[in-house]
Amino acid sequence: MKLRNNIFALDVTDYKILEALQQDARQTYTDIGEHLDIAHSTVYDRIKRMEQYGIIKQYTTIVDAGKTGAKNITAIMTIYTEPKESEHVAEKLCKAPEVLEVYTSLSEELQIIAKITAENQERLHAFIANSIAPLPGVLRIRTSILTKKFKENQFSIGSDPKKVRFIKETSNIERR
Amino acid sequence: MSLGKDIKILKTVPREKAFYFFTSIGNYTGLSASSLKEFMEKINEVNVKSLEFHLHRNDFEKWINEVLEDQELAAEMRKLQKFNLVGENLRNQIYVTVSRRLKRLTSQL
């Protein structure tokens, strides 16, 4: 891992460690070291550095909400806003516990896209009507209630084609 | 009804207490009303689907009763539900009901 223009350039070993952690963050430094054929102390040092520089943000647990008995509904909200109020609306959304994710999007009109959860449709509507629609700068809102999930993945090193190519190419050079 | 109470019904409420017109769950039209007069004006402007949505859910009755504190108009809104009106007929009926009430209230001032 090298510092270039205040950005940390990861090398192939770092990517492999990240890939291993993304598959199973509970494995030990020794497990990862054995799998990658490197010393566990190297794994430890690199993980600590990646934690320190915020490349590894956190270790978390992915919960299957359905299996916990929670019957919450999830919706995607598109909020059209006046340009000068957009940031303010996004900040307000971020503070609401019902809102899971907030993005701005590039399109003809300025939009904020947010993922939101609620106990039921009535609670969802009440939250939007009482807390989002009255925010200054909100022009209109489109909401789609999600019905069936086909896939949900976090960003993974293994799903980035450029990184995979880099790892493969670098591994071949190292083997030669 | 006292004159003081009638004047109170004609007040302009803060934006967090305004009526926000939706066409369905979570779909906000961008139109809102902060007073009875504004409410009457927006009835003519808004997508008729929004009027059907809110009347069916008792939202008009609830807002007029709880925010504007006009029990008389709230009761008239409740009665409107029984006629099962839709489309432009519904718009006209709501408009006539609200404008008649507004005229009565303003004439007393």
Side-chain angles (χ1 to χ4, degrees):
Chain A
M1 193 163 70
K2 289 174 188 165
L3 186 64
R4 276 188 217 147
N5 301 328
N6 272 338
I7 295 170
F8 287 92
L10 303 178
D11 65 19
V12 69
T13 307
D14 298 318
Y15 281 125
K16 283 181 175 176
I17 291 170
L18 286 176
E19 201 177 4
L21 285 174
Q22 285 198 308
Q23 281 166 9
D24 179 6
R26 297 176 75 192
Q27 54 187 319
T28 64
Y29 304 126
T30 309
D31 291 339
I32 296 171
E34 278 174 8
H35 178 66
L36 300 179
D37 202 18
I38 52 175
H40 66 85
S41 55
T42 305
V43 177
Y44 173 84
D45 289 343
R46 283 168 182 258
I47 287 176
K48 287 296 153 200
R49 256 185 297 162
M50 287 193 279
E51 286 174 356
Q52 189 185 338
Y53 294 117
I55 292 164
I56 295 173
K57 287 168 79 176
Q58 63 173 316
Y59 300 91
T60 187
T61 304
I62 299 168
V63 176
D64 186 332
K67 288 182 181 167
T68 65
K71 294 215 172 8
N72 277 21
I73 58 165
T74 308
I76 300 291
M77 222 178 11
T78 305
I79 305 160
Y80 298 84
T81 63
E82 284 169 10
K84 64 182 171 67
E85 295 288 352
S86 180
E87 289 274 321
H88 177 72
V89 172
E91 281 166 16
K92 284 274 182 187
L93 283 168
C94 290
K95 286 179 188 160
E98 295 89 340
V99 178
L100 306 175
E101 296 169 40
V102 180
Y103 307 89
T104 49
S105 81
L106 283 173
S107 60
E108 284 176 20
E109 282 183 285
L110 196 56
Q111 298 174 358
I112 295 171
I113 314 272
K115 191 174 177 183
I116 175 173
T117 185
E119 272 178 55
N120 51 45
Q121 289 196 19
E122 208 41 57
R123 291 279 175 106
L124 175 78
H125 185 74
F127 172 68
I128 296 170
N130 300 331
S131 305
I132 309 297
L135 291 176
V138 171
L139 300 175
R140 58 187 197 280
I141 303 170
R142 292 283 164 267
T143 304
S144 303
I145 295 170
L146 306 181
T147 52
K148 187 176 177 182
K149 188 192 290 179
F150 286 90
K151 185 176 179 181
E152 184 183 36
N153 263 3
Q154 302 296 315
F155 169 77
S156 158
I157 294 294
S159 60
D160 183 342
K162 263 171 77 182
K163 298 282 182 291
V164 172
R165 214 179 313 129
F166 172 70
I167 292 169
K168 278 184 184 165
E169 284 168 4
T170 319
S171 301
N172 289 340
I173 292 164
E174 281 172 359
R175 257 184 242 125
R176 281 183 221 146
Chain B
M1 191 180 275
S2 71
L3 185 61
K5 201 164 182 187
D6 286 351
I7 293 169
K8 214 174 152 195
I9 294 168
L10 296 169
K11 65 186 179 270
T12 298
V13 299
R15 60 181 306 128
E16 64 272 16
K17 291 201 167 182
F19 189 89
Y20 292 86
F21 290 90
F22 285 68
T23 49
S24 58
I25 297 284
N27 288 303
Y28 171 48
T29 61
L31 293 180
S32 63
S34 298
S35 66
L36 190 58
K37 185 173 180 288
E38 209 181 342
F39 182 68
M40 182 190 76
E41 289 162 0
K42 297 293 163 70
I43 286 165
N44 267 345
E45 261 182 70
V46 77
N47 185 332
V48 78
K49 277 186 187 171
S50 175
L51 301 178
E52 292 169 1
F53 173 69
H54 289 298
L55 190 78
H56 173 73
R57 291 165 44 90
N58 300 326
D59 290 337
F60 293 142
E61 181 195 336
K62 203 171 165 214
W63 183 72
I64 290 166
N65 192 22
E66 292 175 10
V67 178
L68 298 182
E69 298 174 85
D70 186 353
Q71 285 82 22
E72 205 175 310
L73 184 57
E76 286 189 60
M77 284 291 170
R78 190 165 53 243
K79 276 187 218 160
L80 269 184
Q81 261 199 308
K82 292 175 190 162
F83 299 126
N84 291 324
L85 294 170
V86 290
E88 291 306 315
N89 285 340
L90 175 66
R91 188 197 300 277
N92 291 340
Q93 203 52 57
I94 296 175
Y95 185 81
V96 166
T97 307
V98 175
S99 62
R100 201 169 46 208
R101 176 69 176 145
L102 188 65
K103 202 172 168 186
R104 216 163 43 231
L105 287 166
T106 47
S107 68
Q108 290 169 28
L109 298 179

